Amino acid sequence: MTASQVLATAHPNIALVKYWGKRDTRLNTPAVSSLSITLDTLQVATRAQFGETDALTINGASEPRATARAIACLDAFRTETGVAPRPIVASSDVNFPVAAGLASSAAGFAALVVAADALYGGLLPSPELARLAGQASGSAARSLFGGFVHLAAPAHAADPIDVREVAPADAWPLEVVIAVTATGPKAIGSTDGMELTRQTAPFYSAWVDAQPADIEAALAAVLTKDFAKLADVAEHSCLKMHAVAMAAQPGLVYWNGATVAALHCVRALRQAGTPVFFTIDAGPQLKAICEPGSGDTVAAALSEIPGVIDVLRCGLGPGALAEAC
């Protein structure tokens, strides 16, 4: 049975072992594997129904580039399932800054594919929906799942990705404190930045070659709840990703002064005994990952940094869900 209108919710995910670079730009296949955590309080809520033409609004406004990507994603869903090509009208409400390095695209496309699937009565399992979402935004595949998520890059570009939940959100309820240092969209989006890096950065092949060891170490740390080990590999992965992006031509510098100050703040807290580490995606926002019970200390310290506009608090959350409404 199909639904006349659905509400889909999805949450952004933050990579602890980073994904940066495409193996195949047409299929949007990631060049490296990644390990992420899905957040809880940050959310994209997408209402969708059949209409006269495919359309998307974000926080009440039309975004032409996002709409074009959404239509391509819906076309891929319709082709994959063979359903009647009925247009879908979707409106997304996002409760955090969009296109600012907080994985809004990941949450948005995860919500869109589960909404489309729910409108047709549920045709595809989560791994297939993850693959379709990942074709629109590489990290969106991870937001189909909750807790700790491993996305294994395929050996060959045409092979499907393998994405799975490694541990549920409540298995190790880490806290996440986000230092927001800018709310506008970043000058160069992740997709364009990745391709520029692949084509021009002299260290790109070394970045790809080092990824399997980082994934293995991070997975072991998650399964044994070894915070110190996870902190070491996550910070190293973050700095390597930004180093290779900075080595592109022209160099990609996603940080601002407050980002750097927040990084040093987290390092000082950790050295003083607070169990916390940092990670930063393609944008200026710093994410501090804490052991349970340390979030208040970290949030208080980050909020004192000049240039930190806001401090957001999250835990680990569920994957994308949709229901009739």
Side-chain angles (χ1 to χ4, degrees), residues 93-177:
D93 292 318
V94 187
N95 69 353
F96 59 97
V98 174
L102 290 171
S104 58
S105 292
F109 284 109
L112 184 65
V113 296
V114 298
D117 191 59
L119 279 176
Y120 281 101
L123 302 176
L124 296 177
S126 291
E128 287 300 306
L129 292 174
R131 181 175 60 80
L132 289 171
Q135 288 177 4
S137 173
S139 57
R142 301 188 306 238
S143 281
L144 264 291
F145 300 87
F148 296 83
V149 182
H150 177 215
L151 193 161
H156 306 285
D159 293 341
I161 58 173
D162 177 17
V163 56
R164 62 187 177 91
E165 181 183 290
V166 176
D170 59 359
W172 194 11
L174 299 177
E175 298 181 43
V176 182
V177 181

Side-chain angles (χ1 to χ4, degrees), residues 16 35 148 166-174 216-233 275 277 289-292 316:
L16 303 182
L35 179 70
F148 296 83
V166 176
D170 59 359
W172 194 11
L174 299 177
E216 182 179 357
L219 285 172
V222 169
L223 294 176
T224 59
K225 300 181 183 178
D226 187 333
F227 188 84
K229 184 175 182 180
L230 184 62
D232 287 344
V233 68
F277 64 87
I289 318 300
C290 322
E291 279 271 40
L316 272 56

Side-chain angles (χ1 to χ4, degrees), residues 12 42-46 57-60 92-99 104 107-108:
L42 306 188
Q43 175 180 282
V44 174
T46 298
T57 58
I58 300 173
N59 290 339
S92 295
D93 292 318
V94 187
N95 69 353
F96 59 97
V98 174
S104 58

